[in-house]
Amino acid sequence: MTPTSISSGQAELRAARRQSRPLYWFIALLSAFVNLLMLTGPLYMMQVYDRVMGSRSVATLLALTLLVAFLYGCMGFLDAVRGKIMRRVAARFQAGLDRRVFDAMVRRSVVADDPNAETGLADLEAIQRLLASPVVPGVLDLPFTPVFLFGITLFNPLLGLVAISGGVLLIALALLNQRFSRGPSKTATASGHKAQVMSEEIRNNADMIQAMGMRQAAFERWQGLRAGALRDTSTAADRSGGFTSVTKALRLLLQSAMLAAGAYLVLKGEMTPGSMIAGSILFGRALAPVEMILGQWSNVTRARTGWQNLAALLDAVPPEPKRASRPDPTALLEVQALTVVPPGESAPQLRNVSFTLEPGTVLGVVGPSGAGKSTLARALTGVWPPAAGSVRLDGVAIGDYDPSELGAHIGYLPQRAKLFAGTLTQNIARLSDSPDAEQVVEAAKRANAHEMIVKLPAGYDTRLPPNGGPLSGGQMQRVGLARALYGNPRIVILDEPNSNLDNDGSVALNQAVRQLKAAGTSVLLIAHRPAALEECDMLLVIEKGEMAAFGPREQVIKQFSAPKPAKAPAPQPAPAAVNAAPPIAPSIAQLKAQVPAQGTGKVAGQATATMGNQPPVAAAQEEAAQAQEERDT
């Protein structure tokens, strides 16, 4: 991104930093006193060597020592106070941006595979660590470096020349370190993140890797990323460490040069021994901030990279505008000419889909894999914004709802039910800090998960790892279904809800759907298995991202079951039995074989859709037999 494209994100970060501006000024004031107290050592040495040693006065030495001890105590106290304040400033900066960065990370991850979203929270922590480190006090100490160098010059111009030349060399090394280590540090951070992500993927899929003998292949793939990360990290450390070593050696050499120059001037009678020692101490203090910053340079480069990444992330995801609170909807769902383009793609995966779903209606969505069914689910939940058209809940576009309010009205079960690290209660209650225990149990019972949960040693308090731990796929599906039903949502969207359920689970699912219908909840059910469509009032068939058929379940099934006139007679196994059978939705393969390209129909009071007029395709003999077997089962 160009610098102008991240100006908005930069402005947000600077605004967060400006909130502590008074504290920065106070820390700068404390730094001034700390650096003035740093003169205690040089002045003490001058007095001891030039006065006490000459007068041999023990009382003077004792008084000076007590005064120095007091001043050093004050300096230590002030230094500790400014360090404590800086840690509070760092914590305030992170706390002020935690919610903003978290929301930006989640919202960006939904619509794009952005590395800045993956490292957003880590980037914020890197900035916080820099603010809490000694770097900021060191930067505030830097303005006093010229003051100390000028003080050395007052002792003798030659001594000042040596000190200033050494200071210039150290600053030049610091600038070179910044220039040559910035790129390797950024590369090392990125490669390390890739290796970490890969290790997390392997850990989350450890059972599959173990079962399929993939450990060696997984290790080799991870090792390649890990080796690259180690190589990049070593390169960055070598660059930075080389400059740090040179700086340390140069500083020691300069201190020796200062003593040598001072001794020469003492021998020439142009300086006192006390001034020579004081000049050496002042020189060490003048260069201390430079050396300290160089020693913390890895934190500086990491925080600088994090600042740039965060600025880009915040610029890509502007703050959400505050939306007016809406009354609770009545589950009237209207979809008008909906077109959806998945994030990162240019071609729409869903085109011109329109229907209206009245409260208490169950709509079954069927179609071949990749037809756009899950895309429709994501659009209805507001996860993916429409590229064209609209989705309205009680006449209000879902984009006009506050995301938290909209989420409370929608229950969503994706194809792959994911559970979070925490208790079963927290997972069912949508990670709420204060879950309603009665609603948790009620949702679990409706999802046929209650008996399974109470049989666990800790029941609802059973803690789960992020991947569900000991729960099977069917059990995770039930918990995910309970989460979708928690809180009595007005719209429930179930994407392949019975994909991992057994027969009892499928029966419980149909019972839960009946209860939702009785409560006036609109249900959108995406399924391949015919048993899941028994409770559907309407059917929507999607093919190649477009509506292929829509209408009452009986009508759509009858439309697909209508035989096509054959050119030559052939023995068929009782097609009348198929028509005479109870109205159960056909399999997805049968629907795909029988679906017309377009059609027209309207259901009064429930739904409307626009379709063309083409004759339906005849069902194949094998598919009819399969449908009959499914009904018999």
Side-chain angles (χ1 to χ4, degrees):
M1 287 189 173
T2 61
T4 56
S5 67
I6 61 173
S7 57
S8 175
Q10 292 276 13
E12 286 192 66
L13 294 176
R14 290 170 182 169
R17 188 178 59 188
R18 280 197 302 268
Q19 292 180 355
S20 300
R21 178 177 291 179
L23 292 177
Y24 284 118
W25 284 109
F26 184 64
I27 293 170
L29 180 63
L30 292 179
S31 297
F33 282 108
V34 168
N35 280 275
L36 289 177
L37 289 173
M38 283 292 179
L39 298 175
T40 299
L43 293 176
Y44 176 73
M45 297 306 296
M46 290 180 63
Q47 295 300 318
V48 169
Y49 277 90
D50 296 344
R51 295 182 181 277
V52 174
M53 299 295 290
S55 64
R56 297 181 179 274
S57 172
V58 177
T60 303
L61 177 62
L62 180 61
L64 288 174
T65 303
L66 291 176
L67 178 61
V68 167
F70 172 74
L71 294 178
Y72 275 140
C74 293
M75 183 186 69
F77 173 75
L78 294 178
D79 194 33
V81 169
R82 72 171 180 171
K84 187 174 183 178
I85 294 175
M86 275 309 308
R87 288 188 289 273
R88 299 300 182 273
V89 168
R92 173 189 287 186
F93 179 85
Q94 181 173 355
L97 287 173
D98 268 340
R99 179 60 180 267
R100 173 73 176 99
V101 174
F102 180 84
D103 288 344
M105 176 195 69
V106 174
R107 291 167 55 199
R108 186 63 175 170
S109 298
V110 168
V111 300
D113 186 13
D114 191 346
N116 292 334
E118 295 179 4
T119 61
L121 296 178
D123 291 333
L124 182 59
E125 291 178 2
I127 300 174
Q128 182 269 334
R129 285 195 299 268
L130 177 67
L131 293 175
S133 71
V135 172
V136 175
V139 171
L140 295 176
D141 290 341
L142 276 177
F144 293 91
T145 294
V147 176
F148 294 145
L149 294 178
F150 177 74
I152 296 173
T153 305
L154 293 179
F155 292 145
N156 190 279
L158 178 61
L159 209 61
L161 179 62
V162 174
I164 293 173
S165 300
V168 170
L169 285 175
L170 289 178
I171 293 174
L173 283 175
L175 295 176
L176 290 174
N177 184 22
Q178 175 186 4
R179 179 176 180 179
F180 288 102
S181 62
R182 182 190 309 171
S185 298
K186 189 173 183 178
T187 302
T189 301
S191 58
H193 175 70
K194 290 180 180 178
Q196 182 180 0
V197 170
M198 183 63 187
S199 67
E200 288 295 324
E201 291 179 354
I202 293 174
R203 187 177 65 85
N204 292 334
N205 297 279
D207 52 350
M208 179 186 66
I209 291 174
Q210 178 68 20
M212 300 181 67
M214 297 167 57
R215 277 193 301 174
Q216 182 62 28
F219 172 74
E220 291 176 356
R221 185 172 181 181
W222 171 80
Q223 189 183 40
L225 294 175
R226 182 64 172 170
L230 289 174
R231 182 174 59 253
D232 294 336
T233 302
S234 298
T235 300
D238 290 343
R239 293 272 185 95
S240 180
F243 280 102
T244 301
S245 299
V246 172
T247 301
K248 184 177 180 179
L250 180 60
R251 181 183 175 185
L252 293 175
L253 176 62
L254 289 173
Q255 285 183 330
S256 298
M258 285 288 295
L259 288 174
Y264 172 77
L265 293 172
V266 170
L267 293 176
K268 297 278 289 183
E270 299 179 11
M271 278 186 66
T272 62
S275 299
M276 176 187 71
I277 301 299
S280 178
I281 296 175
L282 277 179
F283 181 71
R285 177 55 196 166
L287 299 184
V290 178
E291 187 176 5
M292 187 273 301
I293 293 174
L294 287 176
Q296 295 282 331
W297 197 251
S298 59
N299 290 334
V300 174
T301 55
R302 177 65 184 91
R304 181 172 181 173
T305 301
W307 182 281
Q308 295 172 348
N309 293 343
L310 276 183
L313 175 63
L314 298 181
D315 185 68
V317 187
E320 287 186 319
K322 291 186 177 180
R323 299 176 175 88
S325 180
R326 305 281 180 178
D328 291 344
T330 59
L332 175 62
L333 184 65
E334 299 173 289
V335 179
Q336 300 175 354
L338 178 64
T339 298
V340 181
V341 178
E345 298 184 13
S346 57
Q349 194 167 347
L350 201 65
R351 296 180 294 276
N352 199 29
V353 173
S354 300
F355 62 86
T356 301
L357 197 62
E358 297 286 346
T361 304
V362 180
L363 172 64
V365 181
V366 294
S369 298
K373 304 185 299 297
S374 296
T375 300
L376 175 63
R378 293 187 180 99
L380 296 182
T381 58
V383 174
W384 287 359
S390 64
V391 178
R392 296 181 179 274
L393 186 58
D394 279 11
V396 179
I398 60 173
D400 294 337
Y401 279 90
D402 182 87
S404 298
E405 289 186 359
L406 179 65
H409 302 317
I410 292 180
Y412 177 48
L413 175 64
Q415 284 187 5
R416 300 178 181 87
K418 298 290 186 180
L419 301 183
F420 299 93
T423 64
L424 282 169
T425 296
Q426 292 170 338
N427 273 277
I428 295 175
R430 306 186 180 189
L431 302 182
S432 173
D433 291 333
S434 54
D436 188 322
E438 293 183 359
Q439 290 194 21
V440 169
V441 174
E442 179 186 356
K445 288 181 177 179
R446 293 163 69 182
N448 195 30
H450 176 71
E451 294 184 3
M452 176 269 295
I453 293 175
V454 296
K455 290 179 181 179
L456 297 174
Y460 283 88
D461 294 327
T462 301
R463 300 197 67 86
L464 301 176
N467 59 356
L471 299 185
S472 66
Q475 291 173 328
M476 292 176 61
Q477 193 90 353
R478 294 184 186 185
V479 175
L481 178 58
R483 179 172 58 199
L485 301 178
Y486 176 80
N488 299 316
R490 305 308 303 157
I491 303 290
V492 174
I493 300 173
L494 307 176
D495 194 351
E496 299 290 347
N498 60 348
S499 58
N500 292 316
L501 297 181
D502 54 15
N503 184 64
D504 293 339
S506 297
V507 172
L509 172 64
N510 290 337
Q511 183 178 357
V513 172
R514 284 195 294 271
Q515 293 175 353
L516 292 173
K517 289 172 58 177
T521 301
S522 296
V523 181
L524 188 138
L525 199 153
I526 301 172
H528 282 127
R529 295 168 63 179
L533 302 176
E534 292 181 1
E535 300 300 327
C536 293
D537 303 303
M538 314 290 296
L539 283 183
L540 169 64
V541 182
I542 298 179
E543 248 193 5
K544 298 180 180 179
E546 297 180 350
M547 294 177 59
F550 178 77
R553 182 173 68 99
E554 310 274 352
Q555 177 181 328
V556 173
I557 293 176
K558 183 178 179 181
Q559 178 182 358
F560 286 128
S561 300
K564 181 178 180 180
K567 294 182 180 180
Q572 301 289 338
V578 177
N579 295 330
I584 300 178
S587 66
I588 193 63
Q590 183 178 357
L591 287 174
K592 181 177 180 181
Q594 297 175 339
V595 68
Q598 293 178 344
T600 305
K602 181 177 180 180
V603 180
Q606 284 191 331
T608 60
T610 302
M611 298 171 287
N613 295 316
Q614 289 190 6
V617 183
Q621 175 181 359
E622 297 175 343
E623 293 166 346
Q626 290 176 1
Q628 183 64 39
E629 289 176 2
E630 290 174 349
R631 286 193 292 271
D632 294 339
T633 301

